[in-house]
Amino acid sequence: MGLEEKLPAGFMLTTLESVIGYMRKASIWPATFGLACCAIEMMAVGTPDYDIARFGMERFSATPRQADLMIVAGRVSQKMAPVVRQVYDQMPNPKWVISMGVCASSGGMFNNYAIVQGVDHIVPVDIYLPGCPPRPEMLLNAIIELHQQIQSAKLGVNRVAAARAAEAAALSATPTQLMPLTHDHGHSLPITTGRNPLA
């Protein structure tokens, strides 16, 4: 987006990547985006018991234009989905997303028409955080994992190559409905490797 996009690959870019990665990971401001019960655990991370301030993240931004991390904490309803996308689109690049809790990651126990079955249908997700609700320690661990991703992120032509490799890997992955079953749940359906047994 800036100077780093214009630089060629090489030793200088590698050194610049590590410096920029360090600065980016140390200056993340999350957006205030609590949707359900997971938001209580997200708020607990700001208390002195867990102290998110040690990562420089104590300022939860009320405006998306000053945030670069969206923590989607809780279930996303169909009515809320366009708002989630609008807030994500208003965040400046580079930006990251943590899907906090099983409801945000996969719809959780709400397998119905009113709840989006995974926030990754709306925005790209960098870290999936399981649990119902996940403990504050788990959120801190997810933030540390995100810091490692940011620190090792590529820039310039290296970033383009990394993005193309990730996209090719995602396109070549076997869809979950075509994966072989790992065990039988007591159903009398014929189990065929590599095919959807429900089809």
Side-chain angles (χ1 to χ4, degrees), residues 12-162:
M12 273 305 277
L13 182 60
T14 305
T15 307
L16 186 65
E17 280 176 349
S18 62
V19 171
I20 289 177
Y22 179 79
M23 289 187 291
R24 281 183 177 168
K25 81 171 189 177
S27 62
I28 295 177
W29 283 354
T32 307
F33 214 87
L35 296 172
C37 39
C38 287
I40 303 298
E41 302 296 322
M42 182 177 68
M43 288 182 243
V45 172
T47 64
D49 292 342
Y50 302 102
D51 192 23
I52 198 172
R54 62 186 147 166
F55 300 118
M57 298 174 63
E58 69 275 10
R59 182 188 176 277
F60 277 78
S61 181
T63 171
R65 300 189 196 289
Q66 295 176 356
D68 42 19
L69 171 63
M70 176 188 281
I71 303 173
V72 182
R75 61 191 176 271
V76 181
S77 66
Q78 295 288 350
K79 279 186 161 183
M80 196 62 176
V83 178
V84 173
R85 184 63 202 202
Q86 182 179 10
V87 170
Y88 178 80
D89 289 340
Q90 290 176 350
M91 292 168 60
N93 284 324
K95 52 191 167 188
W96 299 275
V97 177
I98 294 178
S99 176
M100 182 177 178
V102 70
C103 292
S105 298
S106 66
M109 66 192 92
F110 303 102
N111 188 10
N112 60 37
Y113 64 92
I115 303 297
V116 175
Q117 300 300 303
V119 75
D120 53 359
H121 291 282
I122 306 164
V123 294
V125 176
D126 296 291
I127 300 282
Y128 292 92
L129 177 57
C132 182
R135 298 273 307 141
E137 296 93 343
M138 295 171 70
L139 179 57
L140 289 176
N141 184 54
I143 289 169
I144 292 169
E145 290 291 325
L146 182 65
H147 282 178
Q148 291 172 358
Q149 281 187 19
I150 294 168
Q151 176 75 48
S152 62
K154 301 294 182 190
L155 300 175
V157 293
N158 294 341
R159 188 174 110 198
V160 172

Side-chain angles (χ1 to χ4, degrees), residues 1-7:
M1 184 133 183
L3 175 64
E4 70 271 8
E5 299 298 325
K6 310 258 188 277
L7 295 173

